Amino acid sequence: MKRLGFLLFLVILGIALSACSSNEDSSKANGGEISGEITVWAHPYTGGAEEETAMWDEMIASFEEQYDVKVNFETIPWANRDQKILTALASNTGPDIFYAIPDQMPQYADVGMLVELDPYLENNDMDDFVETALMATQWKGKTYGLPILQEATTFFYNVDVIEAIGEDPNNLPQIWDEFKKWAEKAKANGYYAMSYPGGGSMNHTLYPWLWQAGGNVVNENNEVLINSPEGLEAFEWINDMYQKGWIPEDSITATDHNGLWLGGKILAVMGSADLISVLQEEGDFDFVISQPLKNKEQYAYGTTGMFVVASNSDNPDAAAEFLKTITNADNQRTFNSLTNFIPTRESAKDIFAEGDPLGYVAANTQYALPGVIHPKGRAIMPLIQAELQAMMAGEKTPQEALDAAEKAIEDELAK
């Protein structure tokens, strides 16, 4: 489906769903009799279908024991999930509850496809949730999802390289200027300072530096914010890294530098929980995990996984209660212990034993922003990427690239 057609479909579907929404008064929110039937769609989160089935069966049983509600659960594949969900909702055969990530949620919420959950959350101990995880569930001041998993991306350092450049693995860089000194030493000793997968997502390339510089891309009022002194500082930082050889030569279009990293040629890479298992299985060196770097701000990227309620649900009260149940602390412990993600409730982070590398990653979710929360968040990524690539290739100055990125975003938002 072409992008324009997809967005038009969202608008038309949103109008239809808003017209038939049964969430007008949320009469049973935070109490009252809950009964009936709901359908839940989720995805496979591990390679173990049997273990996941047992996990969901346990969660569903605990809910059904508390409420007179039958839960119909279905696992759907990740491939083409947007189209499958939208088609099902349009034909009124879709689920009451489905899984979403931060760049999907605002697309759905902006056209009225989701139930606002705030009326249901008064007694849900919302203060226990990590603040950055809740940010990912909100659009224009309203909550549309409850988060069940989170990730945090931060620097993993190769201890052998740290020692080779004469630095201390117990005293890692905290700010940009300190990392710059390490980068220069790495280059002088025949190493790259870090990986920069310029052909991949902006979440792993530009955005962390932009947020740390104090900048942003666009807000919910469609104000384009990227062309600012903070944005220029981030563009210049990336350009300097490339021109000075701190990052590999193919960084303009590379999607990973796994070979160089695992081969001991890179000082640091941005990684999350999945990198831990890779290093433990394939790495031939010790590693240490840092907090995100700080400039004006201290931020990193980290996605949040949430469950949402469709606005054409016949039973939004039961659906909201099910979301509250599966995202409580006990069920988050069960879910994230199996899937190796990070709980979004602080109290559930006790699943990590002292010294567990994943615990070090989990401590950084307080800094983890979920990307650009906007209905056009996905669409503007390649536009910014193209300008960064032109800058790194020497075709544009950082300011020229920034000007062009701003114009491209404005044009996309105007469509």
Side-chain angles (χ1 to χ4, degrees), residues 10 45 62 67 90 111 133 146 154 159 166 176 227 239 241 269 305 318 331 339 367 377 405 410:
L10 278 177
Y45 300 93
S62 69
Y67 300 101
V111 294
L146 281 180
T154 190
V159 172
W176 282 22
N227 197 354
N239 197 49
M241 286 198 296
V269 298
N331 282 328
T339 62
Y367 310 115
E410 289 174 341

Side-chain angles (χ1 to χ4, degrees), residues 178-188 191 193 246 267:
E178 292 172 355
F179 183 79
K180 178 180 178 179
K181 293 176 182 177
W182 280 40
E184 291 171 341
K185 286 187 175 182
K187 174 63 177 175
Y191 299 99
W246 297 352
L267 170 65

